[in-house]
Amino acid sequence: MMALVSLLIALVASAPTAPPAATLRASLPAELDGFDDYVRRAVADWEVPGLAIAVIGNGEVLFERGYGIRRLGAGEPVDEHTLFAIGSTTKAMTAALIGMLVDSGRLRWDDRVIDHLPDFRLFDPWVTRELRVRDLLTHSAGLPNADFLWYEQDATLDQILHRMRYLEPETSMRSSFTYQNILYAAAGKLVAVASGESWASFLESRIFRPLGMNRSVATLAATAGVANVAVPHDVFDGALIAIDNASVDSVSAAGSVWSSVHDMAQWSRFLLAGGVTPSGERLLSEAAYAELFRPQVVVDEPTYPAFRLTNPRWLTYGLGWFQADYEGRPTDFHTGSIDGLVAIHGMMRGERIGVIVLANRDHTELRHALMYRVFDLFDEDPPRDWSTELRELYASLAREAEQEAEHDVVSREAQRIAGTSPSPPSAPSLPLAVYAGSYRDPLYGEVEVSFDAGSGLAARYGRRSGHLEPFQRDSFRVRWDQPGRGDVVLIFGVTSGGEISHLELSGMRLGRSPDAR
């Protein structure tokens, strides 16, 4: 694996540092006029409420525009200054902040994390001891995804990091790629310790202000009272509706920034210039900049369905960036996704091309289509209709998922009918009040189940709450009250003596608290 990484490092390093003159066609402005119409049609075809896009060519902003509205039913237009959650494209900013601290001598890429965060512990003592700063940024520490620790929870960052010691590893360290948000949150904690100020304050002073990103804010909380902010949307009960924001603020360094395409274009220009601002100020050394984009780990499995159409020959991850070839041209990119809001930032650094797409519909993959369409504008071949091709691909995938879901429902219902209990198979085996209580686990947190004689059982897990309906014996289906948060099945463990011992939720097992018995 390391040999392959070394080969890919050489490939990326050999990319040209400036675009050949023939790459930037003289007809590009006219192409961009047509691109405006293309985006407008695509936004309508994908039924996206609002979208904004910026295009950088030869290091200059050539195009920035908004389409649609910020919230269905409100009619307020999206423009180039509308704020959207940029989600995990925040990670590149966190990695750059680490690079700045390396430049100042306060950190080194291969420092042990516990030398700076002495209270940080992981399940494996060896991994705790050997985890390095760069390991926080590469998704290769051997840990599984653990978003349940922060998603719709009330836990603080320190509480989340403390609970990481109970998370068992999935693989050995540095052997594979598994996307992991919480280690990026730990990188934010490291930024705060090394800089002497909060991650948000350091981000504002070292990136936002020098680049003139005057409307960008570090967290969802900081959007309160700010004008011109997009509202998230998702499909609920077959209808596209506005939904509540899902906060990422507790793990902010992993994805909490809100920005506009106008501001993000300044960030992209800075990166395309090698870490130098438009005024000529170098914010990242050449060495730190190169480290951000040096392939760190091979990504074994394709991470995006769009790769079925682009067929990349290689896929790696740097520090906050996916990397792949597109028709033989090296690209760096990252997506951002949080309930009802999406982002993508793509670059061809060798050709000084950048594109940013922000939108307010859940997982609208129009973002990939527009990124590849922009890349096509900068070569000699006719551009492909990526909007149509990807819409057809995702429609096919949606049909497959719907068929699988229908099959799962039929299977579950068949299990309910197959019950052999003399009582109806869907009826609980115990009085409803017996299921009420607190269920806790050091890793998973707490689920509170309550009983009301009039309304029955209800559950609360973090910020989510919902009523329980009997499913099968000691299992209950919960649809969360908050639109767009899905539904789950709760399974209660019952001892031979008729007592509740534990509760299982989405594969998580939580024991019943003794004081609830």
Side-chain angles (χ1 to χ4, degrees):
M1 177 175 172
M2 292 307 298
L4 181 54
V5 171
S6 298
L7 175 61
L8 291 169
I9 290 171
L11 285 172
V12 173
S14 66
T17 57
T23 303
L24 300 178
R25 296 185 294 181
S27 60
L28 184 60
E31 291 290 336
L32 283 178
D33 287 340
F35 181 66
D36 177 44
D37 293 335
Y38 184 84
V39 176
R40 199 174 302 279
R41 289 193 301 272
V43 169
D45 289 342
W46 287 75
E47 298 180 352
V48 178
L51 178 145
I53 182 169
V55 177
I56 297 92
N58 201 22
E60 298 297 327
V61 180
L62 302 177
F63 184 95
E64 54 180 19
R65 199 159 296 178
Y67 302 83
I69 54 180
R70 304 199 295 266
R71 181 188 180 110
L72 284 176
E76 298 167 327
V78 169
D79 60 29
E80 68 271 26
H81 299 293
T82 300
L83 292 189
F84 292 81
I86 71 167
S88 287
T89 64
T90 299
K91 289 179 170 66
M93 297 178 180
T94 296
L97 294 178
I98 295 285
M100 293 173 185
L101 290 167
V102 170
D103 284 340
S104 68
R106 300 184 204 180
L107 290 175
R108 292 176 298 178
W109 294 111
D110 293 309
D111 281 353
R112 298 193 312 168
V113 173
I114 58 169
D115 288 342
H116 299 279
L117 302 178
D119 294 330
F120 186 61
R121 295 288 184 274
L122 295 174
F123 188 87
D124 187 325
W126 183 86
V127 176
T128 297
R129 186 177 66 249
E130 295 301 325
L131 191 76
R132 309 294 167 149
V133 170
R134 73 173 69 248
D135 293 322
L136 299 176
L137 308 174
T138 62
H139 307 290
S140 62
L143 301 177
N145 179 287
D147 288 346
F148 57 83
L149 290 176
W150 62 268
Y151 178 75
E152 290 293 87
Q153 298 294 314
D154 294 316
T156 65
L157 175 57
D158 285 342
Q159 290 170 332
I160 292 168
L161 294 182
H162 178 83
R163 288 160 65 184
M164 287 291 283
R165 67 194 62 196
Y166 305 114
L167 181 67
E168 296 189 28
E170 184 175 70
T171 64
S172 58
M173 187 163 68
R174 306 187 191 109
S175 66
S176 63
F177 178 94
T178 300
Y179 200 82
Q180 227 291 336
N181 281 303
I182 297 174
L183 290 186
Y184 261 86
K189 177 78 171 181
L190 188 64
V191 166
V193 169
S195 69
E197 55 185 299
S198 70
W199 170 84
S201 175
F202 198 63
L203 173 66
E204 291 162 1
S205 65
R206 295 303 183 96
I207 292 179
F208 289 171
R209 285 202 290 272
L211 297 182
M213 299 173 67
N214 299 322
R215 276 185 51 77
S216 299
V217 294
T219 61
L220 170 64
T223 66
V226 176
N228 195 5
V229 178
V231 173
H233 295 78
D234 198 359
V235 175
F236 187 69
D237 285 344
L240 183 64
I241 62 169
I243 63 172
D244 293 336
N245 281 299
S247 177
V248 191
D249 290 0
S250 61
V251 289
S252 54
S256 67
V257 167
W258 285 67
S259 188
S260 66
V261 293
H262 175 80
D263 279 11
M264 288 294 288
Q266 310 316 309
W267 166 239
S268 194
R269 291 178 69 202
F270 163 74
L271 294 170
L272 292 169
V276 178
T277 70
S279 65
E281 180 185 4
R282 177 167 287 283
L283 302 183
L284 274 169
S285 70
E286 292 182 5
Y289 174 84
E291 194 65 28
L292 297 180
F293 294 100
R294 186 171 74 86
Q296 306 282 332
V297 59
V298 172
V299 181
D300 298 321
E301 297 293 332
T303 49
Y304 299 99
F307 287 150
R308 300 186 187 189
L309 301 181
T310 61
N311 298 309
R313 293 174 296 173
W314 50 268
L315 177 61
T316 58
Y317 197 86
L319 300 179
W321 294 95
F322 285 99
Q323 301 155 320
D325 66 292
Y326 172 62
E327 298 181 347
R329 303 155 73 192
T331 67
D332 304 282
F333 71 97
H334 212 293
T335 56
S337 305
I338 186 66
D339 297 20
L341 295 159
V342 299
I344 197 167
H345 183 186
M347 298 187 298
M348 288 184 166
R349 290 181 296 119
E351 302 176 36
R352 300 183 68 193
I353 301 165
V355 55
I356 301 101
V357 180
L358 306 174
N360 64 349
R361 176 168 178 168
D362 194 75
H363 279 87
T364 180
E365 299 311 330
L366 174 56
R367 56 184 171 178
H368 285 277
L370 294 179
M371 180 180 75
Y372 291 126
R373 180 76 177 195
V374 168
F375 291 162
D376 284 352
L377 295 178
F378 289 84
D379 67 16
E380 297 299 328
D381 297 324
R384 289 170 64 172
D385 185 1
W386 281 109
S387 174
T388 297
E389 290 189 46
L390 280 174
R391 196 156 53 91
E392 291 173 353
L393 171 64
Y394 278 92
S396 174
L397 295 175
R399 288 192 295 270
E400 291 176 10
E402 185 176 354
Q403 291 170 359
E404 291 178 2
E406 290 175 355
H407 178 268
D408 290 344
V409 169
V410 170
S411 298
R412 287 201 304 266
E413 295 302 321
Q415 292 173 4
R416 292 177 71 174
I417 296 171
T420 57
S421 169
S423 60
S426 62
S429 65
L430 301 169
L432 292 183
V434 175
Y435 298 95
S438 295
Y439 299 81
R440 296 189 178 99
D441 181 84
L443 173 62
Y444 302 126
E446 179 178 7
V447 175
E448 186 73 30
V449 178
S450 59
F451 172 73
D452 179 85
S455 56
L457 290 171
R460 175 173 292 278
Y461 184 41
R463 299 190 189 101
R464 285 172 288 177
S465 59
H467 283 83
L468 279 62
E469 64 177 42
F471 176 68
Q472 177 183 355
R473 297 286 287 172
D474 300 304
S475 301
F476 296 78
R477 181 184 284 117
V478 186
R479 171 175 280 198
W480 302 116
D481 296 333
Q482 298 82 353
R485 302 301 192 255
D487 57 7
V488 297
V489 173
L490 297 185
I491 304 171
F492 291 89
V494 181
T495 69
S496 58
E499 295 184 348
I500 306 295
S501 60
H502 66 274
L503 148 56
E504 293 182 20
L505 164 68
S506 301
M508 300 182 291
R509 182 181 174 122
L510 300 91
R512 190 170 193 179
S513 299
D515 58 3
R517 296 177 188 270

